[in-house]
Amino acid sequence: MLYIYFMQIRFLFLILLAMSCSEEQKEESEHVWDSVTVTASAYNSTVRQTSGNPNITAFGDSLKPGMKYIAVSQDLLRKGLKHNTPVVIEGFDGVYLVKDKMHFKWRNHIDIYMGEDIEAARKWGRRKVCIEFRLPKEE
């Protein structure tokens, strides 16, 4: 009797596991990843480096130190790096989100948000990096 009960629980567990795996595969199949080499610099939440309120992005999101956010040039917006697009940046851990956009004069450029740590932003400087970003799959 105990063996039958154990087998029923095991069967239910396997069904739930299979259902969750198929949902993960479905989500992945709805997106593709693209990459591009860009110039990357860094910015901070200071009045001198922003226009208007230094804690509000051009999309209206709030900035707080420690958040993994980037700003992108307007030409990258047209390539699909829209608001809230996940981005992986060469040399950085984790996934960053597009939360800000840059002045129209910039081309093929991202700005990595570094909170209020001006020294870290200066140390980063400006360099070429490869970024990968997630796009919805076209049908």
Side-chain angles (χ1 to χ4, degrees):
M1 180 77 170
L2 185 58
Y3 178 75
I4 294 171
Y5 180 70
F6 174 72
M7 292 304 288
Q8 288 174 340
I9 290 176
R10 185 174 168 201
F11 180 71
L12 287 172
F13 176 74
L14 290 174
I15 289 174
L16 290 173
L17 183 63
M19 287 173 51
S20 67
C21 289
S22 65
E23 287 177 20
E24 288 175 20
Q25 290 172 351
K26 181 181 176 188
E27 181 180 327
E28 278 302 312
S29 66
E30 293 175 358
H31 296 93
V32 295
W33 285 83
D34 198 359
S35 64
V36 66
T37 299
V38 297
T39 301
S41 54
Y43 76 110
N44 306 102
S45 295
T46 65
V47 174
R48 186 170 171 264
Q49 293 184 31
T50 61
S51 58
N53 185 334
N55 296 312
I56 304 294
T57 71
F59 289 116
D61 295 300
S62 296
L63 291 174
K64 293 182 188 137
M67 294 179 155
K68 294 186 177 213
Y69 290 166
I70 63 170
V72 297
S73 57
Q74 308 241 348
D75 61 323
L76 293 176
L77 286 171
R78 291 187 290 277
K79 288 183 178 180
L81 281 107
K82 297 179 179 1
H83 184 239
N84 287 326
T85 299
V87 178
V88 176
I89 304 169
E90 175 186 11
F92 284 85
D93 291 330
V95 176
Y96 285 71
L97 295 177
V98 175
K99 290 288 187 174
D100 206 354
K101 53 187 168 182
M102 302 170 73
H103 189 275
F104 67 88
K105 70 180 179 179
W106 296 105
R107 295 284 179 260
N108 202 42
H109 198 108
I110 66 167
D111 244 351
I112 304 164
Y113 178 62
M114 294 197 175
E116 297 173 352
D117 192 347
I118 296 171
E119 189 56 36
R122 284 187 181 140
K123 186 177 177 182
W124 170 258
R126 182 180 304 155
R127 54 184 96 165
K128 297 271 187 196
V129 296
C130 181
I131 62 170
E132 295 181 5
F133 53 99
R134 192 178 79 175
L135 297 170
K137 186 181 278 188
E138 295 180 14
E139 306 235 354

Short mmCIF file of all heavy atoms in Angstrom, two decimals, residues 57-119:
data_model
loop_
_atom_site.label_atom_id
_atom_site.label_comp_id
_atom_site.label_asym_id
_atom_site.label_seq_id
_atom_site.Cartn_x
_atom_site.Cartn_y
_atom_site.Cartn_z
N THR A 57 14.82 58.46 -15.23
CA THR A 57 15.32 58.23 -16.59
C THR A 57 14.41 58.91 -17.63
O THR A 57 13.32 59.36 -17.30
CB THR A 57 15.39 56.73 -16.91
OG1 THR A 57 14.05 56.23 -17.05
CG2 THR A 57 16.14 55.96 -15.84
N ALA A 58 14.86 58.90 -18.86
CA ALA A 58 14.06 59.47 -19.95
C ALA A 58 12.76 58.68 -20.17
O ALA A 58 11.80 59.21 -20.71
CB ALA A 58 14.87 59.50 -21.25
N PHE A 59 12.73 57.42 -19.74
CA PHE A 59 11.51 56.62 -19.83
C PHE A 59 10.62 56.79 -18.59
O PHE A 59 9.55 56.21 -18.52
CB PHE A 59 11.84 55.14 -19.99
CG PHE A 59 12.40 54.79 -21.35
CD1 PHE A 59 13.70 54.29 -21.46
CD2 PHE A 59 11.66 54.93 -22.50
CE1 PHE A 59 14.22 53.95 -22.69
CE2 PHE A 59 12.17 54.59 -23.74
CZ PHE A 59 13.46 54.10 -23.83
N GLY A 60 11.10 57.55 -17.59
CA GLY A 60 10.32 57.78 -16.38
C GLY A 60 10.58 56.80 -15.25
O GLY A 60 9.90 56.84 -14.22
N ASP A 61 11.59 55.94 -15.39
CA ASP A 61 11.93 54.99 -14.33
C ASP A 61 12.80 55.67 -13.27
O ASP A 61 13.56 56.60 -13.57
CB ASP A 61 12.71 53.80 -14.90
CG ASP A 61 11.87 52.97 -15.85
OD1 ASP A 61 10.84 52.44 -15.41
OD2 ASP A 61 12.24 52.85 -17.03
N SER A 62 12.70 55.20 -12.03
CA SER A 62 13.52 55.72 -10.94
C SER A 62 14.85 54.99 -10.90
O SER A 62 14.91 53.78 -11.07
CB SER A 62 12.81 55.52 -9.60
OG SER A 62 11.63 56.28 -9.56
N LEU A 63 15.91 55.75 -10.66
CA LEU A 63 17.25 55.18 -10.53
C LEU A 63 17.65 55.14 -9.06
O LEU A 63 17.42 56.11 -8.32
CB LEU A 63 18.28 56.04 -11.28
CG LEU A 63 18.20 56.05 -12.79
CD1 LEU A 63 19.18 57.08 -13.35
CD2 LEU A 63 18.48 54.69 -13.36
N LYS A 64 18.25 54.03 -8.65
CA LYS A 64 18.80 53.88 -7.30
C LYS A 64 20.13 53.16 -7.44
O LYS A 64 20.23 52.21 -8.24
CB LYS A 64 17.86 53.08 -6.41
CG LYS A 64 16.57 53.79 -6.11
CD LYS A 64 15.70 52.96 -5.18
CE LYS A 64 14.35 53.65 -5.08
NZ LYS A 64 13.23 52.75 -5.15
N PRO A 65 21.15 53.58 -6.68
CA PRO A 65 22.44 52.89 -6.77
C PRO A 65 22.28 51.38 -6.58
O PRO A 65 21.47 50.91 -5.79
CB PRO A 65 23.24 53.50 -5.61
CG PRO A 65 22.65 54.88 -5.48
CD PRO A 65 21.18 54.70 -5.75
N GLY A 66 23.04 50.62 -7.36
CA GLY A 66 23.01 49.16 -7.30
C GLY A 66 22.16 48.52 -8.38
O GLY A 66 22.25 47.32 -8.63
N MET A 67 21.32 49.31 -9.03
CA MET A 67 20.47 48.76 -10.10
C MET A 67 21.30 48.54 -11.35
O MET A 67 22.20 49.31 -11.66
CB MET A 67 19.32 49.71 -10.40
CG MET A 67 18.36 49.85 -9.26
SD MET A 67 17.05 51.01 -9.70
CE MET A 67 15.76 50.44 -8.61
N LYS A 68 21.00 47.47 -12.08
CA LYS A 68 21.72 47.13 -13.30
C LYS A 68 20.94 47.68 -14.48
O LYS A 68 20.16 46.98 -15.11
CB LYS A 68 21.90 45.62 -13.39
CG LYS A 68 22.81 45.09 -12.31
CD LYS A 68 23.10 43.63 -12.48
CE LYS A 68 24.06 43.21 -11.40
NZ LYS A 68 24.96 42.18 -11.82
N TYR A 69 21.21 48.95 -14.78
CA TYR A 69 20.50 49.66 -15.83
C TYR A 69 21.50 50.24 -16.81
O TYR A 69 22.65 50.53 -16.47
CB TYR A 69 19.67 50.81 -15.27
CG TYR A 69 18.47 50.40 -14.45
CD1 TYR A 69 17.80 51.33 -13.65
CD2 TYR A 69 17.96 49.10 -14.47
CE1 TYR A 69 16.68 50.99 -12.91
CE2 TYR A 69 16.84 48.76 -13.74
CZ TYR A 69 16.21 49.69 -12.96
OH TYR A 69 15.11 49.35 -12.23
N ILE A 70 21.04 50.43 -18.05
CA ILE A 70 21.86 51.12 -19.04
C ILE A 70 21.00 52.13 -19.79
O ILE A 70 19.77 52.01 -19.84
CB ILE A 70 22.52 50.16 -20.05
CG1 ILE A 70 21.48 49.41 -20.89
CG2 ILE A 70 23.48 49.21 -19.37
CD1 ILE A 70 22.07 48.62 -22.06
N ALA A 71 21.69 53.10 -20.39
CA ALA A 71 21.07 54.02 -21.34
C ALA A 71 21.63 53.64 -22.70
O ALA A 71 22.77 53.20 -22.82
CB ALA A 71 21.43 55.46 -21.00
N VAL A 72 20.81 53.79 -23.75
CA VAL A 72 21.26 53.43 -25.09
C VAL A 72 21.05 54.62 -26.04
O VAL A 72 20.16 55.44 -25.85
CB VAL A 72 20.51 52.20 -25.65
CG1 VAL A 72 20.80 50.97 -24.80
CG2 VAL A 72 19.02 52.42 -25.75
N SER A 73 21.91 54.67 -27.05
CA SER A 73 21.76 55.71 -28.07
C SER A 73 20.51 55.42 -28.89
O SER A 73 20.03 54.29 -28.97
CB SER A 73 23.00 55.78 -28.96
OG SER A 73 23.27 54.53 -29.56
N GLN A 74 19.97 56.44 -29.51
CA GLN A 74 18.69 56.32 -30.20
C GLN A 74 18.75 55.36 -31.40
O GLN A 74 17.77 54.71 -31.72
CB GLN A 74 18.22 57.71 -30.63
CG GLN A 74 18.24 58.68 -29.47
CD GLN A 74 16.91 59.26 -29.13
OE1 GLN A 74 15.96 59.15 -29.87
NE2 GLN A 74 16.86 59.92 -27.99
N ASP A 75 19.92 55.24 -32.03
CA ASP A 75 20.01 54.28 -33.13
C ASP A 75 19.90 52.84 -32.63
O ASP A 75 19.37 51.97 -33.32
CB ASP A 75 21.31 54.48 -33.93
CG ASP A 75 22.56 54.27 -33.10
OD1 ASP A 75 22.57 54.65 -31.91
OD2 ASP A 75 23.55 53.73 -33.63
N LEU A 76 20.35 52.57 -31.40
CA LEU A 76 20.20 51.23 -30.83
C LEU A 76 18.75 50.96 -30.45
O LEU A 76 18.30 49.82 -30.52
CB LEU A 76 21.11 51.06 -29.61
CG LEU A 76 22.62 51.05 -29.92
CD1 LEU A 76 23.42 50.96 -28.63
CD2 LEU A 76 22.98 49.93 -30.87
N LEU A 77 18.02 51.99 -30.10
CA LEU A 77 16.58 51.83 -29.85
C LEU A 77 15.90 51.29 -31.11
O LEU A 77 15.07 50.39 -31.05
CB LEU A 77 15.93 53.15 -29.46
CG LEU A 77 16.19 53.68 -28.05
CD1 LEU A 77 15.66 55.11 -27.91
CD2 LEU A 77 15.57 52.78 -27.01
N ARG A 78 16.30 51.83 -32.25
CA ARG A 78 15.71 51.40 -33.53
C ARG A 78 16.14 49.98 -33.91
O ARG A 78 15.47 49.31 -34.69
CB ARG A 78 16.06 52.39 -34.63
CG ARG A 78 15.36 53.74 -34.46
CD ARG A 78 15.58 54.65 -35.64
NE ARG A 78 16.94 55.14 -35.75
CZ ARG A 78 17.44 56.19 -35.09
NH1 ARG A 78 16.70 56.86 -34.24
NH2 ARG A 78 18.69 56.57 -35.29
N LYS A 79 17.27 49.51 -33.35
CA LYS A 79 17.73 48.14 -33.63
C LYS A 79 17.05 47.12 -32.71
O LYS A 79 17.33 45.94 -32.81
CB LYS A 79 19.24 48.05 -33.45
CG LYS A 79 20.03 48.72 -34.53
CD LYS A 79 21.51 48.51 -34.33
CE LYS A 79 22.30 49.17 -35.45
NZ LYS A 79 23.74 48.99 -35.29
N GLY A 80 16.20 47.60 -31.81
CA GLY A 80 15.47 46.67 -30.96
C GLY A 80 15.78 46.76 -29.48
O GLY A 80 15.15 46.09 -28.67
N LEU A 81 16.75 47.56 -29.08
CA LEU A 81 17.06 47.71 -27.66
C LEU A 81 16.10 48.73 -27.04
O LEU A 81 16.47 49.82 -26.66
CB LEU A 81 18.51 48.16 -27.47
CG LEU A 81 19.50 47.02 -27.61
CD1 LEU A 81 20.25 47.13 -28.90
CD2 LEU A 81 20.43 47.00 -26.44
N LYS A 82 14.86 48.33 -26.95
CA LYS A 82 13.80 49.20 -26.44
C LYS A 82 13.77 49.15 -24.91
O LYS A 82 14.51 48.41 -24.28
CB LYS A 82 12.46 48.76 -27.00
CG LYS A 82 12.37 48.89 -28.52
CD LYS A 82 11.03 48.41 -29.03
CE LYS A 82 10.82 48.51 -30.50
NZ LYS A 82 11.74 48.96 -31.41
N HIS A 83 12.90 49.95 -24.33
CA HIS A 83 12.72 50.02 -22.87
C HIS A 83 12.54 48.62 -22.28
O HIS A 83 11.77 47.83 -22.80
CB HIS A 83 11.49 50.90 -22.59
CG HIS A 83 11.25 51.13 -21.15
ND1 HIS A 83 10.08 50.77 -20.53
CD2 HIS A 83 12.03 51.69 -20.18
CE1 HIS A 83 10.13 51.11 -19.26
NE2 HIS A 83 11.31 51.65 -19.02
N ASN A 84 13.29 48.30 -21.26
CA ASN A 84 13.26 47.04 -20.51
C ASN A 84 13.85 45.83 -21.25
O ASN A 84 13.68 44.70 -20.81
CB ASN A 84 11.85 46.69 -20.02
CG ASN A 84 11.43 47.58 -18.87
OD1 ASN A 84 12.25 47.98 -18.05
ND2 ASN A 84 10.15 47.89 -18.82
N THR A 85 14.55 46.05 -22.36
CA THR A 85 15.22 44.95 -23.05
C THR A 85 16.36 44.42 -22.18
O THR A 85 17.18 45.19 -21.71
CB THR A 85 15.79 45.41 -24.40
OG1 THR A 85 14.74 45.88 -25.23
CG2 THR A 85 16.54 44.30 -25.11
N PRO A 86 16.43 43.09 -21.96
CA PRO A 86 17.56 42.52 -21.21
C PRO A 86 18.84 42.54 -22.04
O PRO A 86 18.82 42.21 -23.23
CB PRO A 86 17.12 41.07 -20.94
CG PRO A 86 15.70 40.97 -21.36
CD PRO A 86 15.41 42.11 -22.26
N VAL A 87 19.95 42.93 -21.40
CA VAL A 87 21.23 43.07 -22.09
C VAL A 87 22.33 42.44 -21.22
O VAL A 87 22.39 42.69 -20.02
CB VAL A 87 21.57 44.56 -22.34
CG1 VAL A 87 22.93 44.71 -23.00
CG2 VAL A 87 20.49 45.23 -23.16
N VAL A 88 23.20 41.65 -21.84
CA VAL A 88 24.38 41.12 -21.18
C VAL A 88 25.58 41.89 -21.75
O VAL A 88 25.74 41.98 -22.96
CB VAL A 88 24.53 39.60 -21.45
CG1 VAL A 88 25.82 39.08 -20.83
CG2 VAL A 88 23.32 38.86 -20.91
N ILE A 89 26.40 42.45 -20.84
CA ILE A 89 27.52 43.29 -21.24
C ILE A 89 28.83 42.56 -20.97
O ILE A 89 29.06 42.09 -19.85
CB ILE A 89 27.51 44.63 -20.47
CG1 ILE A 89 26.18 45.34 -20.65
CG2 ILE A 89 28.67 45.51 -20.91
CD1 ILE A 89 25.97 46.52 -19.72
N GLU A 90 29.67 42.48 -21.99
CA GLU A 90 30.98 41.85 -21.85
C GLU A 90 31.74 42.53 -20.70
O GLU A 90 31.84 43.75 -20.64
CB GLU A 90 31.75 42.02 -23.17
CG GLU A 90 33.16 41.53 -23.16
CD GLU A 90 33.88 41.86 -24.46
OE1 GLU A 90 33.37 42.64 -25.29
OE2 GLU A 90 34.98 41.33 -24.64
N GLY A 91 32.26 41.73 -19.76
CA GLY A 91 33.02 42.28 -18.65
C GLY A 91 32.20 42.57 -17.40
O GLY A 91 32.76 42.95 -16.37
N PHE A 92 30.88 42.39 -17.47
CA PHE A 92 30.01 42.64 -16.33
C PHE A 92 29.21 41.38 -16.02
O PHE A 92 28.84 40.64 -16.92
CB PHE A 92 29.03 43.79 -16.62
CG PHE A 92 29.66 45.14 -16.55
CD1 PHE A 92 30.32 45.68 -17.63
CD2 PHE A 92 29.58 45.89 -15.38
CE1 PHE A 92 30.90 46.92 -17.57
CE2 PHE A 92 30.17 47.15 -15.30
CZ PHE A 92 30.83 47.66 -16.40
N ASP A 93 28.93 41.18 -14.75
CA ASP A 93 28.10 40.05 -14.34
C ASP A 93 26.64 40.44 -14.38
O ASP A 93 26.28 41.59 -14.12
CB ASP A 93 28.45 39.62 -12.90
CG ASP A 93 29.83 39.00 -12.81
OD1 ASP A 93 30.27 38.38 -13.80
OD2 ASP A 93 30.46 39.13 -11.75
N GLY A 94 25.80 39.49 -14.69
CA GLY A 94 24.36 39.70 -14.62
C GLY A 94 23.77 40.29 -15.88
O GLY A 94 24.45 40.53 -16.89
N VAL A 95 22.48 40.53 -15.78
CA VAL A 95 21.70 41.07 -16.90
C VAL A 95 21.31 42.50 -16.57
O VAL A 95 20.82 42.78 -15.48
CB VAL A 95 20.44 40.21 -17.15
CG1 VAL A 95 19.57 40.82 -18.24
CG2 VAL A 95 20.83 38.79 -17.51
N TYR A 96 21.52 43.39 -17.52
CA TYR A 96 21.16 44.80 -17.37
C TYR A 96 19.88 45.05 -18.17
O TYR A 96 19.59 44.35 -19.13
CB TYR A 96 22.29 45.69 -17.89
CG TYR A 96 23.46 45.75 -16.94
CD1 TYR A 96 24.28 44.65 -16.75
CD2 TYR A 96 23.72 46.90 -16.20
CE1 TYR A 96 25.34 44.69 -15.86
CE2 TYR A 96 24.78 46.94 -15.31
CZ TYR A 96 25.59 45.84 -15.14
OH TYR A 96 26.62 45.89 -14.24
N LEU A 97 19.14 46.05 -17.76
CA LEU A 97 17.92 46.43 -18.47
C LEU A 97 18.08 47.81 -19.09
O LEU A 97 18.66 48.71 -18.47
CB LEU A 97 16.72 46.44 -17.52
CG LEU A 97 16.32 45.11 -16.91
CD1 LEU A 97 15.18 45.29 -15.93
CD2 LEU A 97 15.92 44.12 -17.99
N VAL A 98 17.53 47.98 -20.28
CA VAL A 98 17.50 49.30 -20.91
C VAL A 98 16.45 50.13 -20.18
O VAL A 98 15.26 49.82 -20.24
CB VAL A 98 17.16 49.21 -22.41
CG1 VAL A 98 17.01 50.60 -23.01
CG2 VAL A 98 18.21 48.40 -23.15
N LYS A 99 16.90 51.17 -19.49
CA LYS A 99 15.98 52.00 -18.71
C LYS A 99 16.10 53.49 -19.06
O LYS A 99 15.37 54.31 -18.53
CB LYS A 99 16.24 51.83 -17.21
CG LYS A 99 15.83 50.49 -16.67
CD LYS A 99 14.33 50.38 -16.61
CE LYS A 99 13.87 49.11 -15.92
NZ LYS A 99 12.43 49.06 -15.75
N ASP A 100 17.04 53.84 -19.93
CA ASP A 100 17.26 55.24 -20.24
C ASP A 100 17.70 55.35 -21.70
O ASP A 100 18.17 54.38 -22.29
CB ASP A 100 18.34 55.80 -19.32
CG ASP A 100 18.24 57.31 -19.09
OD1 ASP A 100 17.40 57.96 -19.73
OD2 ASP A 100 19.00 57.83 -18.25
N LYS A 101 17.50 56.52 -22.27
CA LYS A 101 17.99 56.75 -23.63
C LYS A 101 18.85 58.00 -23.64
O LYS A 101 18.67 58.90 -22.82
CB LYS A 101 16.84 56.85 -24.63
CG LYS A 101 15.76 57.84 -24.30
CD LYS A 101 14.61 57.71 -25.27
CE LYS A 101 13.41 58.49 -24.78
NZ LYS A 101 12.27 58.35 -25.68
N MET A 102 19.78 58.02 -24.57
CA MET A 102 20.77 59.08 -24.64
C MET A 102 20.35 60.16 -25.64
O MET A 102 19.44 59.96 -26.44
CB MET A 102 22.12 58.48 -25.03
CG MET A 102 22.60 57.40 -24.07
SD MET A 102 24.02 56.47 -24.67
CE MET A 102 25.30 57.69 -24.47
N HIS A 103 21.06 61.27 -25.59
CA HIS A 103 20.86 62.37 -26.53
C HIS A 103 21.05 61.86 -27.95
O HIS A 103 21.86 60.96 -28.20
CB HIS A 103 21.87 63.48 -26.21
CG HIS A 103 21.63 64.74 -26.95
ND1 HIS A 103 22.10 64.96 -28.22
CD2 HIS A 103 20.94 65.85 -26.61
CE1 HIS A 103 21.74 66.15 -28.63
NE2 HIS A 103 21.02 66.72 -27.67
N PHE A 104 20.32 62.43 -28.89
CA PHE A 104 20.35 61.95 -30.29
C PHE A 104 21.72 62.06 -30.95
O PHE A 104 21.97 61.43 -31.97
CB PHE A 104 19.29 62.68 -31.13
CG PHE A 104 19.55 64.13 -31.33
CD1 PHE A 104 20.33 64.56 -32.39
CD2 PHE A 104 19.03 65.08 -30.47
CE1 PHE A 104 20.58 65.90 -32.60
CE2 PHE A 104 19.27 66.43 -30.66
CZ PHE A 104 20.05 66.84 -31.72
N LYS A 105 22.65 62.85 -30.38
CA LYS A 105 23.98 62.99 -31.00
C LYS A 105 24.83 61.72 -30.90
O LYS A 105 25.74 61.52 -31.67
CB LYS A 105 24.75 64.16 -30.38
CG LYS A 105 25.20 63.91 -28.96
CD LYS A 105 25.95 65.11 -28.40
CE LYS A 105 26.38 64.84 -26.97
NZ LYS A 105 27.12 65.96 -26.42
N TRP A 106 24.52 60.83 -29.96
CA TRP A 106 25.30 59.61 -29.77
C TRP A 106 24.88 58.53 -30.75
O TRP A 106 23.71 58.38 -31.06
CB TRP A 106 25.16 59.08 -28.34
CG TRP A 106 25.70 60.03 -27.32
CD1 TRP A 106 24.98 60.83 -26.48
CD2 TRP A 106 27.08 60.30 -27.05
NE1 TRP A 106 25.82 61.57 -25.71
CE2 TRP A 106 27.13 61.27 -26.03
CE3 TRP A 106 28.27 59.81 -27.56
CZ2 TRP A 106 28.33 61.76 -25.52
CZ3 TRP A 106 29.47 60.30 -27.06
CH2 TRP A 106 29.47 61.26 -26.05
N ARG A 107 25.84 57.74 -31.22
CA ARG A 107 25.59 56.63 -32.14
C ARG A 107 26.31 55.39 -31.64
O ARG A 107 27.47 55.46 -31.23
CB ARG A 107 26.11 56.95 -33.56
CG ARG A 107 25.38 58.10 -34.23
CD ARG A 107 24.01 57.64 -34.73
NE ARG A 107 23.29 58.71 -35.36
CZ ARG A 107 22.34 59.42 -34.76
NH1 ARG A 107 22.01 59.19 -33.53
NH2 ARG A 107 21.71 60.37 -35.41
N ASN A 108 25.62 54.23 -31.70
CA ASN A 108 26.21 52.95 -31.34
C ASN A 108 26.90 53.02 -29.97
O ASN A 108 28.05 52.64 -29.82
CB ASN A 108 27.20 52.50 -32.42
CG ASN A 108 27.42 51.02 -32.38
OD1 ASN A 108 26.49 50.24 -32.22
ND2 ASN A 108 28.66 50.61 -32.53
N HIS A 109 26.16 53.53 -28.98
CA HIS A 109 26.75 53.84 -27.67
C HIS A 109 25.81 53.41 -26.55
O HIS A 109 24.59 53.57 -26.67
CB HIS A 109 26.97 55.36 -27.61
CG HIS A 109 27.92 55.78 -26.54
ND1 HIS A 109 29.17 56.24 -26.82
CD2 HIS A 109 27.80 55.83 -25.20
CE1 HIS A 109 29.79 56.57 -25.70
NE2 HIS A 109 28.96 56.31 -24.69
N ILE A 110 26.38 52.87 -25.48
CA ILE A 110 25.60 52.63 -24.26
C ILE A 110 26.28 53.34 -23.10
O ILE A 110 27.49 53.59 -23.13
CB ILE A 110 25.44 51.13 -23.92
CG1 ILE A 110 26.78 50.48 -23.56
CG2 ILE A 110 24.75 50.39 -25.05
CD1 ILE A 110 26.65 49.09 -22.94
N ASP A 111 25.50 53.68 -22.10
CA ASP A 111 25.98 54.26 -20.86
C ASP A 111 25.56 53.31 -19.74
O ASP A 111 24.36 53.03 -19.59
CB ASP A 111 25.34 55.63 -20.63
CG ASP A 111 26.33 56.77 -20.62
OD1 ASP A 111 27.54 56.50 -20.63
OD2 ASP A 111 25.88 57.92 -20.59
N ILE A 112 26.51 52.82 -18.97
CA ILE A 112 26.22 51.89 -17.89
C ILE A 112 26.00 52.68 -16.61
O ILE A 112 26.84 53.51 -16.23
CB ILE A 112 27.38 50.89 -17.72
CG1 ILE A 112 27.66 50.17 -19.03
CG2 ILE A 112 27.09 49.92 -16.58
CD1 ILE A 112 28.99 49.46 -19.09
N TYR A 113 24.87 52.46 -15.95
CA TYR A 113 24.54 53.18 -14.73
C TYR A 113 25.41 52.67 -13.57
O TYR A 113 25.43 51.47 -13.29
CB TYR A 113 23.06 53.02 -14.40
CG TYR A 113 22.66 53.71 -13.12
CD1 TYR A 113 22.78 55.08 -12.99
CD2 TYR A 113 22.17 52.97 -12.05
CE1 TYR A 113 22.42 55.71 -11.82
CE2 TYR A 113 21.81 53.59 -10.87
CZ TYR A 113 21.94 54.96 -10.76
OH TYR A 113 21.59 55.59 -9.59
N MET A 114 26.12 53.58 -12.91
CA MET A 114 26.99 53.23 -11.78
C MET A 114 26.61 53.97 -10.51
O MET A 114 27.48 54.32 -9.71
CB MET A 114 28.44 53.45 -12.16
CG MET A 114 28.92 52.52 -13.25
SD MET A 114 30.69 52.42 -13.35
CE MET A 114 30.90 51.17 -14.59
N GLY A 115 25.32 54.24 -10.34
CA GLY A 115 24.85 54.86 -9.11
C GLY A 115 25.49 56.21 -8.86
O GLY A 115 25.55 57.06 -9.73
N GLU A 116 26.02 56.38 -7.65
CA GLU A 116 26.67 57.65 -7.29
C GLU A 116 28.18 57.51 -7.22
O GLU A 116 28.88 58.42 -6.78
CB GLU A 116 26.10 58.13 -5.96
CG GLU A 116 24.62 58.44 -6.05
CD GLU A 116 23.98 58.76 -4.71
OE1 GLU A 116 24.65 58.59 -3.66
OE2 GLU A 116 22.81 59.17 -4.71
N ASP A 117 28.71 56.36 -7.66
CA ASP A 117 30.15 56.08 -7.59
C ASP A 117 30.86 56.70 -8.80
O ASP A 117 31.13 56.03 -9.80
CB ASP A 117 30.38 54.57 -7.52
CG ASP A 117 31.81 54.21 -7.17
OD1 ASP A 117 32.69 55.11 -7.21
OD2 ASP A 117 32.05 53.04 -6.85
N ILE A 118 31.15 57.98 -8.69
CA ILE A 118 31.79 58.72 -9.79
C ILE A 118 33.17 58.15 -10.10
O ILE A 118 33.57 58.06 -11.26
CB ILE A 118 31.85 60.22 -9.47
CG1 ILE A 118 30.42 60.77 -9.36
CG2 ILE A 118 32.67 60.99 -10.50
CD1 ILE A 118 30.33 62.18 -8.83
N GLU A 119 33.91 57.73 -9.07
CA GLU A 119 35.24 57.18 -9.28
C GLU A 119 35.19 55.89 -10.11
O GLU A 119 36.02 55.68 -10.99
CB GLU A 119 35.94 56.91 -7.93
CG GLU A 119 37.39 56.54 -8.07
CD GLU A 119 38.23 57.56 -8.82
OE1 GLU A 119 37.99 58.78 -8.69
OE2 GLU A 119 39.13 57.13 -9.58
#
